[in-house]
Amino acid sequence: MVHFYTSNVVSPPVTLYVGADKYENEELIKWGWPEDVWFHVDKLSSAHVYVRLQPGQTIDDIPGAVLEDCAQLVKANRDVSWMMLYQFGIGVKMHLKVF
């Protein structure tokens, strides 16, 4: 089952979609929209976190506080303390932006 969270760090709040394992991640990919931006740990098995952009928004329009919420959800759904050594991948469909 895909989990839903609300990020209240911005107004209006943003819904975040989380797949905690490979099956839930596949559901997110299967039903994802072109407006979905996904977050995961690069080169490791991890949760996928999606945020849906509003019409006309780009990945650069996502507020830093929402980016932090997404990264924290990825981290919280991965029980590896050294995960922060790896890059977080943020992608829009098949386009990847690494931080």
Side-chain angles (χ1 to χ4, degrees):
M1 174 173 84
V2 173
H3 304 276
F4 302 90
Y5 294 89
T6 301
S7 175
N8 293 312
V9 296
V10 292
S11 183
V14 176
T15 300
L16 306 176
Y17 307 86
V18 180
D21 60 30
K22 72 176 189 173
Y23 303 106
E24 293 175 5
N25 292 344
E26 288 172 6
E27 285 296 308
L28 283 172
I29 293 168
K30 179 180 176 183
W31 298 105
W33 293 9
E35 296 86 5
D36 291 344
V37 178
W38 52 267
F39 300 77
H40 72 99
V41 178
D42 194 25
K43 299 180 180 147
L44 288 176
S45 174
S46 72
H48 285 200
V49 175
Y50 281 48
V51 61
R52 186 159 289 155
L53 298 177
Q54 296 300 315
Q57 281 187 316
T58 69
I59 192 170
D60 296 319
D61 296 324
I62 300 172
V66 173
L67 292 174
E68 185 174 334
D69 278 355
C70 292
Q72 291 296 334
L73 279 171
V74 171
K75 181 181 175 187
N77 286 285
R78 179 72 182 166
D79 189 25
V80 179
S81 60
W82 46 266
M83 184 178 70
M84 293 304 290
L85 296 175
Y86 288 83
Q87 295 177 324
F88 280 95
I90 300 175
V92 180
K93 278 296 192 181
M94 299 307 292
H95 306 288
L96 186 66
K97 186 171 186 176
V98 178
F99 293 89

